Coordinates of all heavy atoms in Angstrom, one line a residue:
A11 N -0.9 -5.9 15.5 CA 0.3 -5.1 15.0 C -0.2 -4.2 13.8 O 0.2 -3.1 13.6 CB 1.4 -6.0 14.5
V12 N -1.1 -4.8 12.9 CA -1.6 -4.0 11.8 C -2.4 -2.8 12.3 O -2.3 -1.7 11.8 CB -2.5 -4.9 10.9 CG1 -3.2 -4.1 9.9 CG2 -1.6 -6.0 10.2
E13 N -3.3 -3.1 13.3 CA -4.1 -2.0 13.9 C -3.2 -0.9 14.5 O -3.5 0.3 14.3 CB -5.0 -2.6 14.9 CG -6.1 -3.5 14.4 CD -7.0 -2.8 13.4 OE1 -7.3 -1.6 13.5 OE2 -7.4 -3.5 12.4
E14 N -2.2 -1.3 15.2 CA -1.3 -0.3 15.8 C -0.6 0.5 14.7 O -0.5 1.7 14.8 CB -0.2 -1.0 16.6 CG -0.7 -1.6 17.9 CD 0.3 -2.4 18.7 OE1 1.5 -2.1 18.4 OE2 -0.1 -3.2 19.5
T15 N -0.2 -0.1 13.6 CA 0.5 0.6 12.5 C -0.5 1.5 11.8 O -0.1 2.7 11.6 CB 1.0 -0.4 11.5 OG1 2.0 -1.3 12.1 CG2 1.7 0.3 10.3
L16 N -1.7 1.1 11.6 CA -2.7 2.0 11.0 C -3.0 3.2 11.9 O -3.2 4.3 11.4 CB -4.0 1.2 10.6 CG -3.8 0.2 9.5 CD1 -5.1 -0.6 9.3 CD2 -3.4 0.8 8.2
E17 N -3.1 3.0 13.2 CA -3.4 4.1 14.1 C -2.2 5.1 14.1 O -2.4 6.3 14.1 CB -3.6 3.5 15.5 CG -5.0 2.9 15.7 CD -6.1 3.8 15.4 OE1 -6.1 5.0 15.8 OE2 -7.1 3.4 14.7
R18 N -1.0 4.5 14.0 CA 0.2 5.4 13.9 C 0.2 6.2 12.6 O 0.5 7.4 12.6 CB 1.5 4.6 14.1 CG 2.7 5.4 14.4 CD 3.9 4.5 14.8 NE 4.3 3.7 13.7 CZ 4.3 2.4 13.7 NH1 3.8 1.7 14.7 NH2 4.7 1.7 12.6
I19 N -0.1 5.6 11.5 CA -0.2 6.3 10.3 C -1.3 7.4 10.3 O -1.0 8.5 9.9 CB -0.4 5.3 9.1 CG1 0.8 4.4 8.9 CG2 -0.8 6.0 7.8 CD1 0.6 3.2 8.0
K20 N -2.4 7.0 10.8 CA -3.5 8.0 10.8 C -3.2 9.2 11.6 O -3.7 10.3 11.4 CB -4.8 7.4 11.4 CG -5.5 6.4 10.4 CD -6.8 5.9 10.9 CE -7.0 5.6 12.3 NZ -8.2 4.9 12.7
G21 N -2.4 9.0 12.6 CA -2.0 10.1 13.5 C -0.9 11.0 13.0 O -0.7 12.1 13.6
Q22 N -0.3 10.7 11.9 CA 0.7 11.6 11.3 C 0.1 12.8 10.7 O -0.9 12.7 10.0 CB 1.5 10.8 10.3 CG 2.3 9.7 10.8 CD 3.3 10.1 11.8 OE1 4.1 11.0 11.6 NE2 3.4 9.5 13.0
P23 N 0.7 14.0 10.9 CA 0.2 15.2 10.3 C 0.1 15.1 8.8 O 1.0 14.6 8.1 CB 1.2 16.3 10.7 CG 2.0 15.7 11.8 CD 1.9 14.2 11.6
G24 N -1.0 15.5 8.2 CA -1.1 15.5 6.7 C -1.6 14.3 6.1 O -1.9 14.2 4.9
V25 N -1.8 13.2 6.9 CA -2.3 11.9 6.3 C -3.7 12.1 5.9 O -4.6 12.5 6.7 CB -2.1 10.8 7.3 CG1 -2.8 9.5 6.8 CG2 -0.6 10.4 7.5
E26 N -4.0 11.9 4.7 CA -5.4 12.0 4.2 C -6.1 10.7 4.1 O -7.3 10.6 4.0 CB -5.4 12.7 2.8 CG -4.9 14.1 2.8 CD -4.9 14.7 1.5 OE1 -5.5 14.2 0.5 OE2 -4.2 15.8 1.3
G27 N -5.4 9.6 4.0 CA -6.0 8.3 3.9 C -5.0 7.1 3.8 O -3.8 7.4 3.7
Y28 N -5.6 6.0 3.8 CA -4.8 4.8 3.5 C -5.7 3.8 2.8 O -7.0 3.8 3.0 CB -4.2 4.2 4.7 CG -5.1 3.6 5.8 CD1 -5.8 2.4 5.6 CD2 -5.4 4.4 6.9 CE1 -6.6 1.9 6.6 CE2 -6.3 3.9 7.8 CZ -6.9 2.7 7.7 OH -7.8 2.3 8.6
V29 N -5.2 2.9 2.0 CA -5.9 1.8 1.4 C -5.1 0.5 1.5 O -3.9 0.6 1.2 CB -6.1 2.1 -0.1 CG1 -6.9 1.0 -0.8 CG2 -6.9 3.4 -0.3
I30 N -5.7 -0.5 1.9 CA -5.1 -1.8 1.9 C -5.8 -2.7 0.9 O -7.1 -2.8 0.9 CB -5.1 -2.5 3.3 CG1 -4.4 -1.6 4.3 CG2 -4.5 -3.9 3.2 CD1 -4.5 -2.1 5.7
C31 N -5.1 -3.2 -0.1 CA -5.7 -4.0 -1.1 C -4.9 -5.3 -1.4 O -3.8 -5.4 -1.0 CB -5.9 -3.2 -2.4 SG -4.4 -2.6 -3.1
N32 N -5.6 -6.2 -2.0 CA -4.9 -7.5 -2.3 C -4.2 -7.3 -3.7 O -4.3 -6.3 -4.3 CB -5.8 -8.7 -2.3 CG -7.0 -8.6 -3.3 OD1 -6.9 -7.8 -4.2 ND2 -8.0 -9.4 -3.1
Q33 N -3.6 -8.4 -4.2 CA -2.8 -8.3 -5.4 C -3.7 -8.0 -6.6 O -3.3 -7.5 -7.6 CB -2.1 -9.6 -5.7 CG -0.9 -9.8 -4.8 CD -0.2 -11.2 -5.0 OE1 -0.8 -12.1 -5.5 NE2 1.1 -11.2 -4.7
E34 N -5.0 -8.4 -6.5 CA -5.9 -8.1 -7.6 C -6.4 -6.6 -7.6 O -7.1 -6.2 -8.5 CB -7.1 -9.0 -7.6 CG -6.8 -10.5 -7.9 CD -6.1 -11.2 -6.8 OE1 -6.5 -11.0 -5.6 OE2 -5.2 -12.0 -7.1
G35 N -6.1 -5.9 -6.6 CA -6.5 -4.5 -6.5 C -7.8 -4.3 -5.8 O -8.4 -3.2 -5.8
T36 N -8.4 -5.4 -5.2 CA -9.6 -5.3 -4.4 C -9.3 -4.6 -3.1 O -8.4 -5.1 -2.3 CB -10.2 -6.7 -4.2 OG1 -10.4 -7.3 -5.4 CG2 -11.5 -6.7 -3.4
V37 N -10.1 -3.6 -2.7 CA -9.9 -2.9 -1.5 C -10.3 -3.8 -0.3 O -11.5 -4.3 -0.3 CB -10.7 -1.6 -1.5 CG1 -10.6 -0.9 -0.1 CG2 -10.2 -0.7 -2.6
L38 N -9.4 -4.0 0.6 CA -9.7 -4.8 1.8 C -10.0 -3.9 3.0 O -10.9 -4.2 3.8 CB -8.5 -5.7 2.2 CG -8.1 -6.6 1.1 CD1 -6.8 -7.4 1.5 CD2 -9.2 -7.6 0.7
R39 N -9.3 -2.8 3.1 CA -9.5 -1.8 4.2 C -9.2 -0.4 3.6 O -8.4 -0.3 2.7 CB -8.6 -2.1 5.4 CG -9.0 -3.4 5.9 CD -8.7 -3.7 7.3 NE -8.9 -2.6 8.2 CZ -8.3 -2.5 9.4 NH1 -7.5 -3.5 9.8 NH2 -8.5 -1.5 10.2
R40 N -9.8 0.6 4.2 CA -9.5 2.0 3.9 C -9.8 2.8 5.1 O -10.5 2.4 6.0 CB -10.4 2.4 2.7 CG -11.9 2.4 3.0 CD -12.7 2.7 1.8 NE -14.1 2.3 2.0 CZ -15.0 2.9 2.7 NH1 -14.7 4.1 3.3 NH2 -16.2 2.5 2.8
L41 N -9.2 4.0 5.1 CA -9.5 5.0 6.1 C -11.0 5.2 6.1 O -11.6 5.5 5.0 CB -8.8 6.3 5.9 CG -8.9 7.3 7.0 CD1 -8.2 6.8 8.3 CD2 -8.3 8.6 6.6
P42 N -11.8 5.1 7.2 CA -13.2 5.2 7.1 C -13.7 6.5 6.5 O -14.8 6.6 5.9 CB -13.6 5.1 8.6 CG -12.5 4.3 9.2 CD -11.3 4.7 8.5
T43 N -13.0 7.6 6.6 CA -13.4 8.9 6.0 C -13.2 8.9 4.5 O -13.7 9.9 3.8 CB -12.7 10.1 6.7 OG1 -11.3 9.9 6.5 CG2 -13.1 10.2 8.1
M44 N -12.5 7.9 3.9 CA -12.3 7.9 2.5 C -13.4 7.1 1.8 O -13.8 6.1 2.3 CB -10.9 7.2 2.2 CG -10.6 7.0 0.7 SD -9.1 6.1 0.4 CE -7.9 7.5 0.5
S45 N -13.9 7.7 0.7 CA -15.0 7.0 0.1 C -14.6 5.7 -0.6 O -13.4 5.6 -0.9 CB -15.7 7.9 -1.0 OG -14.8 8.0 -2.1
Q46 N -15.5 4.7 -0.7 CA -15.1 3.5 -1.3 C -14.6 3.7 -2.8 O -13.7 3.1 -3.2 CB -16.3 2.5 -1.3 CG -16.1 1.1 -1.9 CD -15.1 0.3 -1.1 OE1 -14.9 0.5 0.1 NE2 -14.5 -0.7 -1.8
S47 N -15.3 4.6 -3.5 CA -14.9 4.8 -4.9 C -13.5 5.4 -5.0 O -12.8 5.1 -5.9 CB -16.0 5.7 -5.6 OG -16.0 7.0 -5.0
M48 N -13.2 6.3 -4.1 CA -11.8 6.9 -4.1 C -10.8 5.8 -3.7 O -9.7 5.7 -4.4 CB -11.7 8.1 -3.1 CG -10.3 8.7 -3.1 SD -9.8 9.4 -4.7 CE -10.9 10.8 -4.8
A49 N -11.1 5.0 -2.8 CA -10.2 3.9 -2.4 C -10.0 2.9 -3.6 O -8.8 2.5 -3.8 CB -10.7 3.1 -1.2

Side-chain angles (χ1 to χ4, degrees):
V12 169
E13 294 299 325
E14 288 175 21
T15 300
L16 291 177
E17 286 301 316
R18 197 170 63 245
I19 290 169
K20 289 189 318 191
Q22 294 298 312
V25 170
E26 295 179 16
Y28 64 80
V29 177
I30 298 175
C31 58
N32 62 16
Q33 289 180 331
E34 289 77 40
T36 302
V37 175
L38 304 175
R39 298 205 37 199
R40 61 184 163 79
L41 186 69
T43 57
M44 179 183 273
S45 71
Q46 181 68 25
S47 64
M48 181 59 73

